[in-house]
Amino acid sequence: MSDGLAALTAQVRSDLAKIAHPTMPWLTPVTGPDGRAALDVLIVGGGQSGLATAFALLRSRVSNILVLDKAEEGREGPWMTYARMPTLRSPKDFTGPDLDIPCLTYQAWHEAKFGSDSWRDLNLIPREYWADYLAWYREVLDLPMRNGCEVVDIAPAADGLLKATVRGKDGETALYARKIVLATGQEGMGDWSIPEPLRHLPATRCAHSGAEIEFESLRGRRVAVIGAGASAFDNAAVALEAGADSVDLLCRRAEIQLIQPYRWLTFRGFLRHFSELDDAWRWRFMNAVLGLREGFPQHTYDRCARHTAFHLHEGAPLIAARETADGVVLQTAKGEITADFVISATGISMDFTKRPELQRFAMNIARWSDRYTPDESERNDRLGAFPYLSDDYALSERKAGETPWIRDIHVFAIASTMSFGASGSSINAMTTAVPKLVHGLTRGLFTADIDKHWANFQAYDVRQAEVRRGT
């Protein structure tokens, strides 16, 4: 560790010690069916959202927690896997996992490692730097985390606990927890979406943008990218940079989207209070925001447009696809395009049955379509498939009484967007969203133990002074 980072690490620990009040433990240990202490909170997912949630819980004196991630250490989240942009798209001054602690900001880390001049001259944060910053964040805060652990089932257990079946290199084990947070990112409540016309194609011909793709194998080949959001352009750019003979990007809209709605909604009022609006207003906003999808910045477009092999097709929705001896023939509203390989950058689908940890109760998770019916002019089946979350990010039942225990499963991922707006997985929302989540978690833990707290209060007899009478 450099001298600058060593000094910053010492500062972080000193500053956190100064704002540690109140320090009194307040949770009573609960024993699981296996005879061991059950966790108060199990966090599934060790990316930026899972780490920030763990930090906020520790600051709230909820220390009996554990973070699990199925990836190997250093490969949590998208940054070193399917994120294919050179830099983050967020402005460098957006804060997030630091939760408003100045010495924990990316800027503090960058200046400690590279100097203040480097920060001044920096335009956007390289994604590898962001991954390194998160690794330091985990280390400096000493967050309890295990890698190589995948949660494959969640079930009810005795005494109001949840049982998580965890698969690791040594087989399956059980962990018991009072609450579980699913900080599982983009595909946390479903899977990557591939349009129906492409689903019959073999993996040698088609992959979604969240998969591992051997871009070097695309050298000299014809590539088609379905979609026109930021990730579509990122994948097109990597294929071009790998030497693809041609890259055709198919945009279903008549004109490509140039507006980024998430820039508008990055203000405290919206981030903090959107979830408190009634269903009609939440639906109206998210129908507009998610209908626009995520726009791309200028440098993302330029990364593709500088290549003569790049071709943008607007107003060209995919209608059908067939595999031939010459490649995959894509039928669009503007004619046919032949490609050797197709990348589907068409987002995610909310299909709870696709997630092994949710399969036991997937059919009883309430969706927005179960709770709210919009006007015909605002109907959107894609939005209706999102989970309808309680005010603490908890799952709610589609049919009351069948799986009441899912109220202790909290979703802090892209799937929380319909209920909370930008929140889980969004850097720009973390400083408001994480405290809201942790407030809900601690509220649930406190109220569940209210009888214990009352008994402890009644038994409290620590005197602050002694009165000497008769002197």
Side-chain angles (χ1 to χ4, degrees):
M1 183 182 293
S2 68
D3 291 343
L5 278 181
L8 179 62
T9 296
Q11 181 186 349
V12 168
R13 291 170 179 165
S14 175
D15 287 352
L16 290 178
K18 293 171 185 172
I19 56 173
H21 172 78
T23 59
M24 187 176 77
W26 60 278
L27 287 164
T28 304
V30 176
T31 302
D34 57 358
R36 296 181 297 174
L39 296 164
D40 288 315
V41 182
L42 173 64
I43 300 169
V44 184
Q48 60 190 21
S49 295
L51 296 180
T53 300
F55 170 51
L57 283 168
L58 291 175
R59 289 203 66 207
S60 295
R61 301 297 167 255
V62 182
S63 57
N64 183 24
I65 64 174
L66 180 63
V67 183
L68 299 179
D69 199 284
K70 63 182 179 181
E72 62 185 78
E73 186 170 350
R75 294 183 67 80
E76 305 89 354
W79 310 113
M80 304 306 293
T81 53
Y82 63 83
R84 296 182 173 119
M85 65 285 203
T87 65
L88 273 62
R89 282 183 269 272
S90 303
K92 69 178 184 179
D93 59 349
F94 275 20
T95 55
D98 53 271
L99 303 184
D100 292 330
I101 306 295
C103 60
L104 271 178
T105 60
Y106 175 84
Q107 179 179 349
W109 177 86
H110 188 101
E111 290 180 341
K113 190 173 178 66
F114 302 109
S116 57
D117 289 347
S118 174
W119 170 257
R120 181 199 62 210
D121 297 337
L122 183 69
N123 182 20
L124 293 169
I125 300 170
R127 62 180 172 84
E128 293 90 348
Y129 286 10
W130 186 257
D132 289 345
Y133 159 70
L134 292 175
W136 170 81
Y137 178 97
R138 169 183 172 177
E139 179 183 1
V140 73
L141 296 174
D142 195 22
L143 301 178
M145 181 167 165
R146 296 179 194 166
N147 287 87
C149 297
E150 180 180 9
V151 175
V152 295
D153 182 43
I154 300 174
D159 300 322
L161 295 173
L162 297 170
K163 176 186 177 183
T165 301
V166 181
R167 181 176 297 155
K169 63 179 181 179
D170 298 322
E172 292 186 354
T173 57
L175 289 175
Y176 295 93
R178 297 179 67 182
K179 287 187 173 291
I180 292 178
V181 174
L182 300 177
T184 40
Q186 295 276 351
E187 72 275 30
M189 295 293 287
D191 202 357
W192 298 99
S193 174
I194 293 182
E196 192 279 330
L198 300 176
R199 292 174 192 167
H200 68 284
L201 296 176
T204 54
R205 290 292 195 185
C206 179
H208 59 70
S209 57
E212 291 187 16
I213 299 174
E214 291 292 335
F215 282 92
E216 289 302 318
S217 69
L218 302 181
R219 180 179 298 275
R221 303 179 72 190
R222 300 163 297 178
V223 177
V225 178
I226 313 299
S231 65
F233 277 90
D234 289 336
N235 279 268
V238 176
L240 290 162
E241 291 159 2
D245 184 65
S246 65
V247 174
D248 291 278
L249 189 144
L250 307 185
C251 172
R252 62 180 173 82
R253 298 173 185 272
E255 293 184 1
I256 202 161
Q257 179 189 322
L258 301 176
I259 296 170
Q260 170 54 290
Y262 284 91
R263 289 295 179 88
W264 177 87
L265 57 77
T266 304
F267 61 93
R268 290 285 186 179
F270 192 94
L271 295 174
R272 184 171 290 163
H273 302 296
F274 172 81
S275 63
E276 299 164 13
L277 297 175
D278 62 25
D279 288 351
W281 269 116
R282 289 194 288 174
W283 183 278
R284 185 171 302 154
F285 267 110
M286 284 301 108
N287 188 39
V289 170
L290 296 178
L292 289 172
R293 302 292 181 98
E294 184 181 4
F296 54 88
Q298 185 67 50
H299 63 84
T300 299
Y301 173 77
D302 292 342
R303 188 182 174 199
C304 293
R306 67 171 58 102
H307 296 269
T308 58
F310 176 68
H311 309 284
L312 170 63
H313 305 270
E314 296 173 291
L318 178 65
I319 299 171
R322 66 183 187 276
E323 191 174 10
T324 70
D326 186 43
V328 178
V329 178
L330 303 173
Q331 181 184 346
T332 80
K334 288 194 172 180
E336 293 186 342
I337 293 171
T338 303
D340 299 303
F341 192 76
V342 182
I343 301 173
S344 177
T346 48
I348 54 172
S349 61
M350 294 292 158
D351 184 352
F352 310 148
T353 63
K354 296 290 187 181
R355 302 290 301 189
E357 70 271 29
L358 306 179
Q359 286 180 0
R360 179 184 295 272
F361 51 94
M363 300 310 294
N364 202 42
I365 296 174
R367 299 176 182 269
W368 265 81
S369 59
D370 299 317
R371 295 290 192 269
Y372 179 69
T373 302
D375 293 337
E376 190 62 31
S377 63
E378 293 183 326
R379 182 175 175 178
N380 187 321
D381 292 341
R382 183 170 71 94
L383 270 59
F386 277 71
Y388 188 94
L389 303 179
S390 300
D391 68 351
D392 57 355
Y393 289 83
L395 295 173
S396 56
E397 293 183 277
R398 190 176 189 182
K399 186 174 181 181
E402 288 193 354
T403 56
W405 44 275
I406 68 172
R407 64 175 175 264
D408 287 319
I409 302 173
H410 305 255
V411 178
F412 196 62
I414 289 295
S416 60
T417 301
M418 271 301 297
S419 297
F420 287 87
S423 54
S425 301
S426 298
I427 294 173
N428 63 330
M430 278 191 179
T431 55
T432 52
V434 173
K436 189 185 292 284
L437 167 67
V438 171
H439 173 85
L441 293 169
T442 56
R443 181 184 67 191
L445 292 169
F446 174 74
T447 55
D449 283 353
I450 195 63
D451 290 339
K452 295 177 183 178
H453 293 306
W454 176 244
N456 287 339
F457 171 70
Q458 289 184 306
Y460 184 74
D461 61 357
V462 178
R463 299 186 180 190
Q464 292 196 113
E466 293 291 338
V467 177
R468 301 180 184 86
R469 293 180 174 85
T471 60

